Amino acid sequence: MKAPPFKGLWYFKTAAELGSFKQAAEALFVTQAAVSQQIRILEQQLGCTLFERQTRKVNLTQQGQDLLPYLHKAFGQVEMGLSMLKSDPNPNTISLSVLPSFATCWLLPRLTSFNKALPSYQLRIDPTEQLADFNHEDIDIGIRFGLGDYQGLKSELIAKDELVIAYRPGLIDPRKPLRAQLSKLNFIYDEGRDNELAWQALSSQLDLEGHTLSNLKIDNAALVQQATVAGQGFSLLRKRMVEQSLEMGQLEIYPDFAWLCEYGYHLVAPENHFEWAKFKAFRDWIVAELNGIEAC
Amino acid sequence: MKAPPFKGLWYFKTAAELGSFKQAAEALFVTQAAVSQQIRILEQQLGCTLFERQTRKVNLTQQGQDLLPYLHKAFGQVEMGLSMLKSDPNPNTISLSVLPSFATCWLLPRLTSFNKALPSYQLRIDPTEQLADFNHEDIDIGIRFGLGDYQGLKSELIAKDELVIAYRPGLIDPRKPLRAQLSKLNFIYDEGRDNELAWQALSSQLDLEGHTLSNLKIDNAALVQQATVAGQGFSLLRKRMVEQSLEMGQLEIYPDFAWLCEYGYHLVAPENHFEWAKFKAFRDWIVAELNGIEAC
DNA sequence: TTTCATAGTTAAGTTTTAATTAAGTGAAAA
DNA sequence: TTTTCACTTAATTAAAACTTAACTATGAAA
């Protein structure tokens, strides 16, 4: 089926409402010759005149007046449909998709802060390794640690982080040199570019070439942390993730070493989510919260 | 205000209804690459995915499903508006705009035939010298004698005519030569290209150079005929217009002279009127009626 | 009355948009 | 395994839309 001449009809509607081709042209950000032409073409296609041309003014013909209300309804429907697409279906619930490690190490300890800052929103947390599919799962915002290239989605960097040497208090003496102490201990690690780079930096700095990487490999940052807390050895952990454990005295970090990660924390979502009120509110809260920690 | 991406939305609606880009492309008379592109661009503009692409098939996402009903309504409204424009507001009345001479000499005598042929239509006759303005007057069809160039309107030639020498019976003897008889009589005429050309042809044929044109000039074909019936002289009249007077014995025409007019009888109206049922019915009737006379 | 300013028309030339064409992808069917 | 089919993508070509500029008609101002 052939498409109706939408562009001409849109120009017609604008001109009809404003009662002037010139004003319509301004409203449409085109020259008035363009409006004149479009409406002429439209009239040809419809086989009837919509405007009666007088010098310096145009008036709707009967047919033009008859047509207008239909277009009003039609364009109104389109507008409603499009604005519906952009609008937030659950304005009072914030559904997050986050890594389990981030959820347990960072987010959960701060729930009281969240409830204090944004009491009108209900928070729903979906801890998954893989970023949720925004088309099928009802997720508002993803929080991911990475480079920010999530295809088809918009992302915004909210914080960087750095890897530090973490261990159970007493396992390492922070006042004595590292090298000798480390060689006796397991290195607990998970795979990942930052972890690897930081290890290289550390080992070249301390001349630890002999220390093999394969001592204790765990494929999950939260478990690495757990093993470290349990005193299984030392590890490279993200500072923001151990913050809680430090406060509770479960972990200690060795001074004078920090590896700035290439990766960063990102808010990830379809572009239109960034316009939602609850999105902006959440962003403000989490950014403030992250900066608060930075100040420590 | 910027226009919504109507073309993309139209393609989307088609594809969504058919559940396939390929079928949509066929329905839209374009290649399927065009559909794919348009929908990709639309999705970019809306900032959300409308279709979920699987190999060899596409499915609507939730958002696509949500959008569709709005577009249905919208496009339905447009269609209704446009079809309303084309439709006949008074399907049972035929309003004609005709020359007064044509009305009296040709149309009125045939009203009984009209009523017999088309009993369900009511005929309204508007006899005016100037063709009606279809935008303001409620006229369905114009019948005009001319070349068919009526600007902004469509016209259709329905009959030609020829000029004949007419006079009151007895005024001229058809068995005797014309030349001697004419020179004693007034030439009654109105201005008009055909009349002039026919007179030139007649006078050169009969060598009547001396007979001046200015004997009795009347600016209305019906009045010329009336004066001729009254025996004021002879005239050049259109054969179809005198048909009635011949039957009633009011006029007679001289054999062996006929000047085929450049002008012809046209149905004139805005293009869309030609599609109306009543238009077609009227055309059929008048064409048959004109041909019936031709057969005489 | 003449001149000016305004809102519109039209035609020519340019830019933008949308189409086709052709090559590429990946899962299902043969 | 190879072929086929629906869709994607990129490059090119065709078509539509826009701008510019010259023109028209008329109401208002000089």
Side-chain angles (χ1 to χ4, degrees), chain A residues 15-40:
Chain A
E17 282 172 352
L18 298 174
S20 145
F21 286 12
K22 187 173 200 288
Q23 282 176 256
E26 276 165 31
L28 296 163
F29 306 107
V30 294
T31 58
Q32 155 267 43
V35 175
S36 178
Q37 283 178 96
Q38 279 299 320
I39 291 179
R40 175 160 47 86

Side-chain angles (χ1 to χ4, degrees), chain B residues 9-20:
Chain B
L9 292 170
W10 181 258
Y11 279 31
F12 164 73
K13 175 221 146 205
T14 310
E17 282 172 352
L18 298 175
S20 144

Side-chain angles (χ1 to χ4, degrees), chain A:
Chain A
M1 192 159 52
K2 237 185 106 268
F6 289 117
K7 180 155 266 167
L9 292 171
W10 180 259
Y11 279 30
F12 163 72
K13 174 221 148 205
T14 308
E17 282 172 352
L18 298 174
S20 145
F21 286 12
K22 187 173 200 288
Q23 282 176 256
E26 276 165 31
L28 296 163
F29 306 107
V30 294
T31 58
Q32 155 267 43
V35 175
S36 178
Q37 283 178 96
Q38 279 299 320
I39 291 179
R40 175 160 47 86
I41 292 166
L42 177 66
E43 287 178 324
Q44 268 178 337
Q45 288 170 332
L46 301 184
C48 68
T49 61
L50 265 12
F51 283 103
E52 186 175 75
R53 274 78 163 176
Q54 289 167 21
T55 322
R56 302 172 76 169
K57 81 174 199 222
V58 289
N59 288 104
L60 281 175
T61 61
Q62 186 57 50
Q63 294 177 307
Q65 284 174 45
D66 293 344
L67 179 59
L68 196 54
Y70 290 91
L71 298 184
H72 251 122
K73 274 194 208 154
F75 294 146
Q77 284 293 322
V78 171
E79 201 166 342
M80 278 176 64
L82 297 185
S83 69
M84 177 274 300
L85 272 192
K86 292 194 177 132
S87 71
D88 179 0
N90 307 104
N92 298 314
T93 302
I94 299 178
S95 299
L96 298 179
S97 167
V98 295
L99 284 170
S101 55
F102 186 83
T104 52
C105 299
W106 196 93
L107 196 55
L108 294 178
R110 287 170 178 80
L111 281 186
T112 52
S113 157
F114 176 87
N115 283 323
K116 215 160 89 185
L118 302 171
S120 58
Y121 293 108
Q122 191 174 340
L123 195 65
R124 203 165 64 75
I125 298 173
D126 188 6
T128 50
E129 288 296 332
Q130 291 302 309
L131 180 55
D133 177 350
F134 285 87
N135 283 325
H136 292 101
E137 296 166 58
D138 181 20
I139 295 296
D140 298 319
I141 315 173
I143 304 176
R144 294 289 131 170
F145 188 69
L147 291 171
D149 50 344
Y150 304 96
Q151 78 134 321
L153 299 169
K154 181 175 169 177
S155 66
E156 181 179 322
L157 178 70
I158 49 173
K160 299 292 283 183
D161 206 347
E162 46 196 23
L163 289 173
V164 293
I165 298 167
Y167 49 90
R168 192 176 70 181
L171 199 67
I172 294 175
D173 186 338
R175 287 157 305 181
K176 294 184 188 164
L178 257 183
R179 193 183 170 185
Q181 303 188 68
L182 289 192
S183 54
K184 284 172 264 170
L185 297 170
N186 272 326
F187 173 49
I188 314 165
Y189 71 104
D190 65 354
E191 277 181 336
R193 182 162 169 68
D194 273 316
N195 234 290
E196 215 171 291
L197 289 170
W199 174 253
Q200 281 168 18
L202 181 63
S203 39
S204 71
Q205 191 180 310
L206 301 182
D207 193 20
L208 287 176
E209 300 303 333
H211 209 109
T212 68
L213 256 174
S214 52
N215 279 345
L216 187 51
K217 177 175 149 190
I218 302 178
D219 224 19
N220 177 308
L223 294 182
V224 169
Q225 181 162 349
Q226 210 174 307
T228 311
V229 169
Q232 303 286 316
F234 70 97
S235 61
L236 289 166
L237 293 172
R238 294 203 296 272
K239 200 174 171 188
R240 293 181 187 282
M241 292 299 108
V242 298
E243 165 73 13
Q244 192 70 11
S245 300
L246 294 183
E247 273 181 22
M248 290 165 69
Q250 295 177 324
L251 285 180
E252 209 171 270
I253 62 178
Y254 193 86
D256 301 328
F257 182 85
W259 175 262
L260 185 65
C261 301
E262 274 185 25
Y263 286 13
Y265 297 97
H266 294 264
L267 294 186
V268 186
E271 201 170 351
N272 62 317
H273 290 206
F274 282 71
E275 299 306 315
W276 296 351
K278 70 185 184 190
F279 185 101
K280 292 177 177 172
F282 182 78
R283 173 173 51 195
D284 290 347
W285 173 75
I286 198 170
V287 166
E289 198 71 25
L290 287 162
N291 287 339
I293 280 161
E294 204 130 77
C296 291

